[in-house]
Coordinates of all heavy atoms in Angstrom, one line a residue:
M2 N 189.9 -63.7 -9.4 CA 189.6 -62.5 -10.1 C 188.6 -61.7 -9.4 O 187.7 -62.2 -8.9 CB 189.2 -62.9 -11.5 CG 189.2 -61.9 -12.5 SD 188.9 -62.7 -14.1 CE 189.4 -61.4 -15.1
T3 N 188.8 -60.4 -9.3 CA 187.9 -59.5 -8.6 C 186.8 -59.1 -9.5 O 186.9 -59.0 -10.7 CB 188.6 -58.3 -8.0 OG1 189.2 -57.6 -9.1 CG2 189.7 -58.8 -7.0
R4 N 185.7 -58.6 -8.8 CA 184.6 -58.0 -9.6 C 184.8 -56.6 -9.8 O 185.4 -55.9 -9.1 CB 183.3 -58.2 -8.8 CG 182.9 -59.7 -8.7 CD 181.7 -59.9 -7.9 NE 180.6 -59.3 -8.7 CZ 179.3 -59.3 -8.3 NH1 179.0 -59.8 -7.2 NH2 178.4 -58.7 -9.0
H5 N 184.3 -56.0 -10.9 CA 184.3 -54.7 -11.2 C 183.2 -53.9 -10.5 O 182.1 -54.3 -10.4 CB 184.2 -54.4 -12.7 CG 185.3 -54.8 -13.6 ND1 186.4 -54.0 -13.9 CD2 185.6 -56.0 -14.1 CE1 187.2 -54.6 -14.6 NE2 186.8 -55.8 -14.8
G6 N 183.5 -52.7 -10.0 CA 182.5 -51.8 -9.6 C 181.9 -51.1 -10.7 O 182.3 -51.1 -11.8
K7 N 180.8 -50.4 -10.4 CA 180.0 -49.7 -11.5 C 180.9 -48.6 -12.1 O 180.8 -48.4 -13.3 CB 178.7 -49.1 -10.9 CG 177.7 -50.2 -10.7 CD 176.4 -49.6 -10.4 CE 175.3 -50.6 -10.2 NZ 174.0 -50.0 -9.9
N8 N 181.6 -47.9 -11.3 CA 182.4 -46.8 -11.9 C 183.9 -46.9 -11.8 O 184.6 -46.0 -11.7 CB 182.0 -45.4 -11.2 CG 180.6 -45.0 -11.5 OD1 180.1 -45.2 -12.6 ND2 179.8 -44.6 -10.5
C9 N 184.3 -48.1 -11.8 CA 185.7 -48.4 -11.6 C 186.4 -48.4 -13.0 O 186.5 -49.5 -13.7 CB 185.9 -49.8 -10.9 SG 187.7 -50.2 -10.7
T10 N 186.9 -47.3 -13.4 CA 187.5 -47.2 -14.7 C 189.0 -46.9 -14.7 O 189.7 -46.6 -15.7 CB 186.9 -46.0 -15.6 OG1 187.0 -44.8 -14.8 CG2 185.4 -46.3 -15.8
A11 N 189.6 -47.2 -13.5 CA 191.0 -46.9 -13.3 C 191.8 -48.2 -13.7 O 193.0 -48.0 -14.0 CB 191.4 -46.5 -11.9
G12 N 191.2 -49.3 -13.8 CA 192.0 -50.5 -14.2 C 192.2 -50.6 -15.7 O 191.7 -49.8 -16.5
A13 N 193.0 -51.5 -16.1 CA 193.4 -51.7 -17.6 C 192.4 -52.4 -18.3 O 192.3 -52.4 -19.5 CB 194.7 -52.4 -17.7
V14 N 191.4 -53.1 -17.6 CA 190.4 -53.9 -18.2 C 189.0 -53.3 -17.8 O 188.7 -53.1 -16.7 CB 190.5 -55.4 -17.6 CG1 189.4 -56.3 -18.3 CG2 191.8 -56.0 -17.9
Y15 N 188.3 -53.1 -18.9 CA 186.9 -52.7 -18.7 C 185.9 -53.8 -18.9 O 186.1 -54.8 -19.6 CB 186.5 -51.7 -19.9 CG 187.0 -50.3 -19.8 CD1 186.8 -49.4 -20.8 CD2 187.6 -49.9 -18.6 CE1 187.2 -48.1 -20.7 CE2 188.0 -48.6 -18.5 CZ 187.8 -47.6 -19.6 OH 188.2 -46.4 -19.4
S16 N 184.8 -53.7 -18.1 CA 183.7 -54.7 -18.4 C 183.0 -54.2 -19.6 O 183.2 -53.1 -20.1 CB 182.8 -54.7 -17.2 OG 182.1 -53.5 -17.1
Y17 N 182.1 -55.0 -20.2 CA 181.3 -54.7 -21.3 C 180.5 -53.3 -21.0 O 180.4 -52.5 -21.8 CB 180.4 -55.8 -21.8 CG 179.6 -55.5 -22.9 CD1 180.1 -55.5 -24.2 CD2 178.2 -55.1 -22.8 CE1 179.3 -55.2 -25.3 CE2 177.5 -54.8 -23.8 CZ 178.0 -54.8 -25.2 OH 177.2 -54.6 -26.3
H18 N 180.0 -53.3 -19.8 CA 179.1 -52.2 -19.5 C 179.9 -50.9 -19.3 O 179.5 -49.8 -19.8 CB 178.4 -52.5 -18.1 CG 177.6 -51.3 -17.6 ND1 176.4 -51.0 -18.2 CD2 177.8 -50.5 -16.6 CE1 175.9 -50.0 -17.5 NE2 176.7 -49.7 -16.6
E19 N 181.1 -51.0 -18.8 CA 182.0 -49.8 -18.6 C 182.4 -49.3 -20.0 O 182.4 -48.1 -20.2 CB 183.2 -50.1 -17.8 CG 182.8 -50.4 -16.3 CD 184.0 -51.0 -15.6 OE1 185.0 -51.4 -16.2 OE2 183.9 -51.0 -14.3
G20 N 182.8 -50.1 -20.9 CA 183.2 -49.8 -22.2 C 182.1 -49.1 -23.0 O 182.4 -48.1 -23.7
G21 N 180.9 -49.6 -22.9 CA 179.8 -49.0 -23.6 C 179.5 -47.6 -23.0 O 179.1 -46.8 -23.8
G22 N 179.6 -47.4 -21.7 CA 179.3 -46.1 -21.2 C 180.4 -45.0 -21.6 O 180.0 -43.9 -22.0
D23 N 181.6 -45.5 -21.7 CA 182.7 -44.5 -22.2 C 182.5 -44.2 -23.7 O 182.7 -43.1 -24.1 CB 184.1 -45.1 -22.0 CG 184.5 -45.1 -20.5 OD1 183.8 -44.3 -19.8 OD2 185.5 -45.7 -20.2
T24 N 182.1 -45.2 -24.5 CA 181.8 -44.9 -25.9 C 180.7 -44.0 -26.1 O 180.8 -43.0 -26.9 CB 181.6 -46.3 -26.6 OG1 182.7 -47.1 -26.4 CG2 181.4 -46.0 -28.1
A25 N 179.6 -44.1 -25.4 CA 178.5 -43.3 -25.5 C 178.9 -41.9 -25.0 O 178.4 -40.8 -25.6 CB 177.3 -43.8 -24.7
A26 N 179.6 -41.7 -23.9 CA 180.0 -40.4 -23.3 C 181.0 -39.7 -24.3 O 180.9 -38.5 -24.3 CB 180.6 -40.6 -22.0
S27 N 181.8 -40.4 -25.0 CA 182.8 -39.7 -25.9 C 182.1 -39.1 -27.1 O 182.7 -38.3 -27.8 CB 183.9 -40.7 -26.3 OG 183.4 -41.6 -27.2
G28 N 181.0 -39.6 -27.5 CA 180.2 -39.1 -28.7 C 180.7 -39.7 -29.9 O 180.4 -39.2 -31.0
Y29 N 181.5 -40.8 -29.8 CA 182.0 -41.4 -31.0 C 180.8 -42.1 -31.7 O 180.1 -42.9 -31.1 CB 183.1 -42.4 -30.6 CG 184.0 -42.8 -31.7 CD1 184.7 -41.9 -32.4 CD2 184.1 -44.2 -32.1 CE1 185.6 -42.3 -33.4 CE2 185.0 -44.5 -33.1 CZ 185.7 -43.6 -33.7 OH 186.5 -43.9 -34.8
G30 N 180.6 -41.9 -33.0 CA 179.4 -42.3 -33.7 C 179.5 -43.8 -34.1 O 180.5 -44.5 -33.8
T31 N 178.5 -44.2 -34.8 CA 178.5 -45.6 -35.3 C 179.3 -45.7 -36.5 O 179.7 -44.7 -37.1 CB 177.0 -46.0 -35.6 OG1 176.6 -45.1 -36.6 CG2 176.1 -45.9 -34.4
Q32 N 179.6 -46.9 -37.0 CA 180.4 -47.1 -38.1 C 179.7 -46.5 -39.4 O 180.3 -46.0 -40.2 CB 180.6 -48.5 -38.4 CG 181.6 -48.8 -39.5 CD 182.0 -50.2 -39.7 OE1 181.5 -51.1 -38.9 NE2 182.9 -50.5 -40.6
R33 N 178.3 -46.6 -39.4 CA 177.6 -46.0 -40.5 C 177.8 -44.5 -40.6 O 178.1 -43.9 -41.7 CB 176.1 -46.3 -40.3 CG 175.3 -45.7 -41.4 CD 173.8 -45.9 -41.1 NE 173.2 -46.5 -42.3 CZ 172.1 -47.1 -42.3 NH1 171.3 -47.2 -41.2 NH2 171.6 -47.6 -43.4
V34 N 177.9 -43.8 -39.5 CA 178.1 -42.3 -39.5 C 179.6 -42.0 -39.8 O 179.8 -41.1 -40.6 CB 177.6 -41.7 -38.2 CG1 178.0 -40.3 -38.0 CG2 176.2 -41.9 -37.9
R35 N 180.5 -42.8 -39.2 CA 181.9 -42.5 -39.5 C 182.3 -42.7 -40.9 O 183.2 -42.0 -41.4 CB 182.8 -43.3 -38.6 CG 182.7 -43.0 -37.1 CD 183.8 -43.8 -36.4 NE 183.7 -45.2 -36.7 CZ 183.5 -46.2 -35.9 NH1 183.2 -45.9 -34.6 NH2 183.6 -47.4 -36.3
L36 N 181.8 -43.7 -41.5 CA 182.1 -44.0 -42.9 C 181.1 -43.7 -43.9 O 180.8 -44.4 -44.9 CB 182.5 -45.6 -43.0 CG 183.7 -46.0 -42.1 CD1 183.9 -47.4 -42.2 CD2 184.9 -45.2 -42.4
G37 N 180.5 -42.5 -43.7 CA 179.4 -42.1 -44.6 C 180.0 -41.6 -46.0 O 181.2 -41.6 -46.2
R38 N 179.2 -41.3 -46.9 CA 179.6 -41.0 -48.3 C 180.5 -39.7 -48.3 O 181.4 -39.6 -49.1 CB 178.4 -40.7 -49.1 CG 178.7 -40.3 -50.6 CD 179.2 -41.4 -51.4 NE 179.4 -41.0 -52.7 CZ 180.5 -40.8 -53.3 NH1 181.7 -41.0 -52.7 NH2 180.6 -40.4 -54.6
D39 N 180.3 -38.8 -47.4 CA 181.0 -37.6 -47.4 C 182.4 -37.8 -46.7 O 183.3 -36.9 -46.8 CB 180.2 -36.5 -46.6 CG 179.9 -36.9 -45.2 OD1 179.9 -38.0 -44.9 OD2 179.6 -35.9 -44.4
A40 N 182.6 -38.9 -46.0 CA 183.8 -39.2 -45.3 C 184.9 -39.8 -46.3 O 186.1 -39.8 -46.0 CB 183.6 -40.1 -44.2
I41 N 184.5 -40.3 -47.4 CA 185.4 -41.0 -48.3 C 185.5 -40.2 -49.6 O 184.4 -40.1 -50.3 CB 185.0 -42.4 -48.6 CG1 184.9 -43.2 -47.3 CG2 185.9 -43.1 -49.5 CD1 184.2 -44.5 -47.3
K42 N 186.6 -39.8 -50.0 CA 186.7 -39.0 -51.3 C 186.9 -40.0 -52.5 O 187.3 -41.2 -52.2 CB 187.9 -38.1 -51.3 CG 189.3 -38.7 -51.3 CD 190.3 -37.6 -51.3 CE 191.7 -38.2 -51.5 NZ 191.9 -38.9 -52.7
D43 N 186.5 -39.5 -53.6 CA 186.6 -40.4 -54.8 C 188.1 -40.6 -55.1 O 189.0 -39.9 -54.7 CB 186.0 -39.7 -56.0 CG 184.4 -39.7 -55.8 OD1 183.9 -40.6 -55.2 OD2 183.8 -38.8 -56.4
F44 N 188.4 -41.6 -55.9 CA 189.7 -42.1 -56.3 C 190.5 -41.0 -57.0 O 191.7 -40.8 -56.7 CB 189.7 -43.3 -57.1 CG 191.0 -43.8 -57.5 CD1 191.9 -44.4 -56.6 CD2 191.4 -43.7 -58.8 CE1 193.1 -44.8 -57.0 CE2 192.7 -44.1 -59.2 CZ 193.6 -44.7 -58.3
D45 N 189.8 -40.2 -57.8 CA 190.5 -39.2 -58.7 C 190.4 -37.8 -58.2 O 190.5 -36.9 -58.9 CB 190.0 -39.3 -60.2 CG 188.5 -39.0 -60.2 OD1 187.8 -39.0 -59.2 OD2 188.1 -38.7 -61.3
C46 N 190.1 -37.7 -56.9 CA 189.9 -36.3 -56.3 C 191.2 -35.8 -55.6 O 191.8 -36.6 -55.0 CB 188.7 -36.3 -55.4 SG 187.1 -36.5 -56.3
C47 N 191.2 -34.5 -55.6 CA 192.4 -33.9 -54.8 C 192.2 -33.9 -53.4 O 191.1 -33.8 -52.9 CB 192.4 -32.4 -55.3 SG 193.6 -31.4 -54.4
C48 N 193.3 -34.2 -52.7 CA 193.2 -34.2 -51.2 C 192.9 -32.9 -50.5 O 192.5 -32.9 -49.4 CB 194.5 -34.8 -50.6 SG 194.7 -36.5 -51.1
L49 N 193.1 -31.8 -51.2 CA 192.9 -30.5 -50.6 C 191.5 -29.9 -51.0 O 190.7 -29.5 -50.1 CB 193.9 -29.4 -51.1 CG 195.3 -29.6 -50.6 CD1 196.3 -28.7 -51.3 CD2 195.3 -29.4 -49.1
S50 N 191.1 -30.0 -52.3 CA 189.9 -29.4 -52.7 C 188.8 -30.4 -52.8 O 187.5 -30.1 -52.8 CB 190.0 -28.8 -54.1 OG 190.3 -29.8 -55.1
L51 N 189.0 -31.7 -52.8 CA 188.1 -32.8 -52.8 C 187.3 -32.8 -54.1 O 186.2 -33.3 -54.2 CB 187.1 -32.8 -51.6 CG 187.8 -33.0 -50.2 CD1 186.8 -32.9 -49.1 CD2 188.6 -34.2 -50.2
Q52 N 187.8 -32.2 -55.2 CA 187.2 -32.1 -56.5 C 188.1 -33.0 -57.4 O 189.3 -33.2 -57.2 CB 187.2 -30.7 -57.0 CG 186.4 -29.7 -56.1 CD 184.9 -30.1 -56.0 OE1 184.4 -30.5 -57.0 NE2 184.3 -30.0 -54.9
P53 N 187.5 -33.5 -58.5 CA 188.3 -34.3 -59.5 C 189.4 -33.4 -60.1 O 189.3 -32.3 -60.4 CB 187.2 -34.6 -60.6 CG 185.9 -34.5 -59.9 CD 186.0 -33.4 -58.8
C54 N 190.5 -34.0 -60.2 CA 191.8 -33.4 -60.7 C 191.8 -33.1 -62.2 O 191.5 -34.1 -62.9 CB 193.0 -34.1 -60.2 SG 193.3 -34.1 -58.5
R55 N 192.1 -32.0 -62.6 CA 192.4 -31.7 -64.1 C 193.9 -31.8 -64.4 O 194.2 -32.3 -65.5 CB 191.8 -30.3 -64.4 CG 190.3 -30.3 -64.4 CD 189.8 -28.9 -64.6 NE 190.0 -28.2 -63.3 CZ 190.0 -26.9 -63.2 NH1 189.7 -26.1 -64.2 NH2 190.1 -26.3 -62.0
D56 N 194.7 -31.3 -63.5 CA 196.2 -31.4 -63.6 C 196.7 -32.0 -62.4 O 197.2 -31.4 -61.5 CB 196.7 -30.0 -63.8 CG 198.2 -29.9 -64.1 OD1 198.7 -31.0 -64.5 OD2 198.8 -28.9 -64.1
P57 N 196.7 -33.4 -62.3 CA 197.0 -34.1 -61.1 C 198.5 -34.2 -60.9 O 199.3 -34.2 -61.8 CB 196.5 -35.5 -61.3 CG 196.4 -35.7 -62.7 CD 196.2 -34.3 -63.3
V58 N 198.9 -34.1 -59.6 CA 200.3 -34.3 -59.1 C 200.2 -35.3 -58.0 O 199.4 -35.2 -57.1 CB 200.8 -33.0 -58.6 CG1 202.2 -33.2 -58.0 CG2 200.8 -31.9 -59.6
V59 N 201.1 -36.3 -58.0 CA 201.1 -37.4 -57.0 C 202.4 -37.2 -56.2 O 203.5 -37.1 -56.7 CB 201.0 -38.8 -57.7 CG1 201.0 -39.9 -56.7 CG2 199.7 -38.9 -58.6
T60 N 202.2 -37.3 -54.8 CA 203.4 -37.3 -54.0 C 204.0 -38.7 -54.0 O 203.4 -39.7 -54.3 CB 202.9 -37.0 -52.6 OG1 202.0 -37.9 -52.0 CG2 202.3 -35.6 -52.5
P61 N 205.2 -38.9 -53.4 CA 205.9 -40.2 -53.3 C 205.1 -41.2 -52.4 O 205.1 -42.3 -52.6 CB 207.2 -39.9 -52.7 CG 207.5 -38.5 -53.1 CD 206.2 -37.8 -53.1
D62 N 204.2 -40.6 -51.5 CA 203.4 -41.5 -50.6 C 202.2 -41.9 -51.2 O 201.4 -42.6 -50.7 CB 203.1 -40.7 -49.3 CG 204.4 -40.4 -48.5 OD1 205.3 -41.2 -48.6 OD2 204.4 -39.4 -47.7
G63 N 201.8 -41.3 -52.4 CA 200.6 -41.7 -53.2 C 199.4 -40.8 -53.0 O 198.3 -41.1 -53.4
F64 N 199.6 -39.6 -52.4 CA 198.5 -38.6 -52.3 C 198.3 -37.9 -53.6 O 199.4 -37.5 -54.2 CB 198.8 -37.7 -51.1 CG 198.8 -38.4 -49.8 CD1 199.9 -38.7 -49.1 CD2 197.5 -38.8 -49.2 CE1 199.9 -39.4 -47.9 CE2 197.5 -39.4 -48.0 CZ 198.7 -39.7 -47.4
L65 N 197.1 -37.7 -54.0 CA 196.8 -37.0 -55.3 C 196.3 -35.6 -55.0 O 195.5 -35.3 -54.1 CB 195.7 -37.8 -55.9 CG 195.3 -37.3 -57.3 CD1 196.5 -37.6 -58.3 CD2 194.0 -38.0 -57.8
Y66 N 197.0 -34.6 -55.7 CA 196.7 -33.2 -55.5 C 196.5 -32.6 -56.9 O 197.1 -33.1 -57.9 CB 197.8 -32.5 -54.8 CG 197.9 -32.9 -53.3 CD1 199.0 -33.7 -53.0 CD2 197.1 -32.4 -52.4 CE1 199.1 -34.1 -51.6 CE2 197.2 -32.8 -51.0 CZ 198.3 -33.6 -50.7 OH 198.4 -34.0 -49.4
E67 N 195.7 -31.6 -57.0 CA 195.7 -30.8 -58.2 C 196.7 -29.6 -58.1 O 196.8 -29.0 -57.0 CB 194.3 -30.2 -58.3 CG 194.1 -29.5 -59.7 CD 192.7 -29.1 -60.0 OE1 191.8 -29.5 -59.2 OE2 192.5 -28.4 -61.0
R68 N 197.4 -29.4 -59.2 CA 198.5 -28.4 -59.1 C 198.0 -27.0 -58.7 O 198.6 -26.3 -57.9 CB 199.2 -28.3 -60.5 CG 200.5 -27.6 -60.5 CD 201.1 -27.6 -61.9 NE 201.2 -29.0 -62.5 CZ 202.3 -29.7 -62.3 NH1 203.3 -29.3 -61.6 NH2 202.4 -30.9 -62.8
E69 N 196.9 -26.6 -59.2 CA 196.3 -25.3 -58.9 C 196.0 -25.2 -57.4 O 196.2 -24.2 -56.8 CB 195.0 -25.1 -59.7 CG 194.5 -23.7 -59.6 CD 193.3 -23.5 -60.5 OE1 193.2 -24.2 -61.5 OE2 192.4 -22.6 -60.1
A70 N 195.4 -26.3 -56.8 CA 195.1 -26.3 -55.4 C 196.3 -26.2 -54.5 O 196.4 -25.5 -53.5 CB 194.3 -27.6 -55.0
I71 N 197.4 -26.8 -54.9 CA 198.7 -26.8 -54.2 C 199.2 -25.3 -54.2 O 199.6 -24.8 -53.1 CB 199.8 -27.8 -54.7 CG1 199.3 -29.2 -54.5 CG2 201.1 -27.5 -54.1 CD1 200.3 -30.2 -55.1
V72 N 199.2 -24.7 -55.3 CA 199.7 -23.3 -55.5 C 198.9 -22.4 -54.6 O 199.4 -21.5 -53.9 CB 199.8 -22.9 -57.0 CG1 200.1 -21.4 -57.1 CG2 200.8 -23.7 -57.7
A73 N 197.6 -22.5 -54.7 CA 196.7 -21.7 -53.9 C 196.9 -21.9 -52.4 O 196.9 -20.9 -51.7 CB 195.2 -21.9 -54.3
Y74 N 197.1 -23.1 -52.0 CA 197.3 -23.4 -50.6 C 198.6 -22.8 -50.1 O 198.7 -22.2 -49.0 CB 197.3 -25.0 -50.4 CG 197.6 -25.3 -48.9 CD1 196.6 -25.2 -47.9 CD2 198.8 -25.8 -48.6 CE1 196.9 -25.6 -46.6 CE2 199.1 -26.2 -47.3 CZ 198.1 -26.0 -46.3 OH 198.4 -26.4 -45.1
L75 N 199.7 -22.9 -51.0 CA 201.0 -22.4 -50.6 C 200.9 -20.9 -50.4 O 201.5 -20.3 -49.5 CB 202.1 -22.8 -51.5 CG 202.4 -24.3 -51.5 CD1 203.4 -24.7 -52.6 CD2 203.0 -24.7 -50.2
L76 N 200.2 -20.2 -51.4 CA 200.1 -18.7 -51.3 C 199.3 -18.3 -50.1 O 199.7 -17.3 -49.5 CB 199.4 -18.2 -52.6 CG 200.3 -18.3 -53.9 CD1 199.4 -17.9 -55.1 CD2 201.5 -17.4 -53.7
H77 N 198.3 -19.1 -49.8 CA 197.5 -18.8 -48.6 C 198.4 -18.9 -47.3 O 198.3 -18.0 -46.4 CB 196.3 -19.7 -48.5 CG 195.5 -19.5 -47.2 ND1 194.7 -18.5 -47.0 CD2 195.4 -20.4 -46.2 CE1 194.2 -18.6 -45.8 NE2 194.6 -19.8 -45.3
Q78 N 199.1 -19.9 -47.2 CA 200.0 -20.1 -46.1 C 201.1 -19.1 -45.9 O 201.4 -18.6 -44.9 CB 200.6 -21.6 -46.1 CG 199.7 -22.7 -45.9 CD 199.0 -22.6 -44.5 OE1 199.7 -22.3 -43.5 NE2 197.7 -22.8 -44.5
K79 N 201.6 -18.7 -47.1 CA 202.6 -17.7 -47.2 C 202.1 -16.4 -46.6 O 202.8 -15.7 -45.8 CB 203.2 -17.5 -48.6 CG 204.3 -16.5 -48.7 CD 204.8 -16.5 -50.1 CE 205.9 -15.4 -50.2 NZ 206.4 -15.3 -51.6
T80 N 200.9 -15.9 -47.1 CA 200.3 -14.7 -46.6 C 199.9 -14.8 -45.1 O 200.1 -13.8 -44.4 CB 199.1 -14.3 -47.5 OG1 198.1 -15.4 -47.4 CG2 199.5 -14.0 -48.9
K81 N 199.5 -16.0 -44.7 CA 199.1 -16.1 -43.3 C 200.3 -16.0 -42.4 O 200.3 -15.3 -41.4 CB 198.5 -17.6 -43.1 CG 198.1 -17.9 -41.7 CD 197.4 -19.2 -41.6 CE 197.4 -19.7 -40.2 NZ 196.8 -21.1 -40.2
I82 N 201.4 -16.6 -42.8 CA 202.7 -16.5 -42.0 C 203.2 -15.1 -42.0 O 203.7 -14.6 -41.0 CB 203.7 -17.5 -42.6 CG1 203.3 -19.0 -42.3 CG2 205.1 -17.3 -42.0 CD1 204.1 -20.0 -43.0
A83 N 203.1 -14.4 -43.2 CA 203.6 -13.0 -43.2 C 202.8 -12.1 -42.3 O 203.3 -11.2 -41.7 CB 203.5 -12.5 -44.7
R84 N 201.5 -12.4 -42.3 CA 200.6 -11.5 -41.4 C 201.0 -11.8 -39.9 O 201.0 -10.9 -39.1 CB 199.2 -11.9 -41.6 CG 198.5 -10.9 -42.6 CD 197.0 -11.2 -42.7 NE 196.8 -12.2 -43.6 CZ 196.0 -13.3 -43.4 NH1 195.5 -13.5 -42.2 NH2 195.8 -14.2 -44.3
E85 N 201.2 -13.0 -39.6 CA 201.5 -13.4 -38.2 C 202.9 -12.8 -37.8 O 203.0 -12.4 -36.7 CB 201.5 -14.9 -38.0 CG 200.1 -15.5 -38.1 CD 200.1 -17.1 -38.0 OE1 201.2 -17.6 -38.0 OE2 199.1 -17.7 -38.0
T86 N 203.9 -12.9 -38.6 CA 205.2 -12.4 -38.3 C 205.2 -10.9 -38.3 O 206.0 -10.3 -37.5 CB 206.2 -12.9 -39.2 OG1 205.9 -12.6 -40.5 CG2 206.4 -14.4 -39.1
K87 N 204.4 -10.3 -39.1 CA 204.4 -8.8 -39.1 C 203.6 -8.3 -37.9 O 204.1 -7.3 -37.3 CB 203.7 -8.3 -40.4 CG 203.7 -6.8 -40.7 CD 202.9 -6.5 -41.9 CE 202.9 -5.0 -42.1 NZ 202.2 -4.7 -43.3
G88 N 202.6 -8.8 -37.6 CA 201.7 -8.3 -36.5 C 202.2 -8.6 -35.1 O 202.2 -7.7 -34.3
G89 N 202.5 -9.8 -34.9 CA 202.8 -10.2 -33.4 C 204.0 -10.9 -33.3 O 204.1 -11.9 -32.6
S90 N 205.2 -10.4 -33.9 CA 206.4 -11.2 -33.8 C 207.0 -11.0 -32.5 O 207.6 -12.0 -31.9 CB 207.4 -10.7 -34.9 OG 207.7 -9.3 -34.6
G91 N 206.9 -9.9 -31.9 CA 207.5 -9.7 -30.5 C 209.0 -9.6 -30.4 O 209.7 -9.6 -29.4
H92 N 209.7 -9.5 -31.7 CA 211.1 -9.4 -31.8 C 211.6 -7.9 -31.5 O 210.9 -7.1 -32.0 CB 211.7 -9.9 -33.0 CG 211.5 -11.4 -33.2 ND1 211.1 -12.0 -34.3 CD2 211.6 -12.4 -32.4 CE1 211.0 -13.3 -34.2 NE2 211.4 -13.6 -32.9
C93 N 212.7 -7.8 -30.9 CA 213.2 -6.4 -30.7 C 214.3 -6.2 -31.8 O 215.2 -7.0 -32.0 CB 213.9 -6.3 -29.3 SG 212.7 -6.5 -28.0
G94 N 214.3 -4.9 -32.3 CA 215.3 -4.5 -33.2 C 215.5 -5.2 -34.4 O 216.3 -5.3 -35.2

């Protein structure tokens, strides 16, 4: 088995030192920062607004949304798409 060089990151296997340097350089935080209170929504909160649902709707995959938030999101997307197609469609005739 060969020894690793200090900057030899082309191989499939990292040494402990090489892996630690890549983790620090990537800016990936600690588990405490990644899983902070603001990263986890409450059980009864909408996936779009992150507020407790008054009129909940559940998808087949189990995601919880508020009906009003879904309608507002769809209207926002519809106007956004209309602006994009009207302004810079590039179609002839």
Side-chain angles (χ1 to χ4, degrees):
M2 196 167 194
T3 61
R4 295 180 64 177
H5 287 267
K7 284 188 178 180
N8 293 321
C9 180
T10 58
V14 179
Y15 279 175
S16 70
Y17 179 79
H18 177 70
E19 291 167 347
D23 284 347
T24 302
S27 70
Y29 200 60
T31 63
Q32 185 173 8
R33 175 182 234 170
V34 173
R35 286 190 314 243
L36 298 177
R38 177 74 175 109
D39 59 341
I41 301 171
K42 69 177 186 70
D43 291 333
F44 177 74
D45 62 340
C46 290
C47 173
C48 292
L49 290 173
S50 66
L51 302 178
Q52 299 296 321
C54 291
R55 289 175 284 168
D56 186 14
V58 178
V59 180
T60 64
D62 295 330
F64 293 102
L65 184 69
Y66 295 101
E67 184 169 354
R68 190 176 310 270
E69 185 178 337
I71 291 173
V72 171
Y74 178 76
L75 290 174
L76 288 174
H77 173 72
Q78 290 299 319
K79 184 177 178 181
T80 57
K81 180 180 169 185
I82 291 170
R84 269 188 271 127
E85 289 175 359
T86 56
K87 182 179 179 182
S90 65
H92 292 139
C93 296

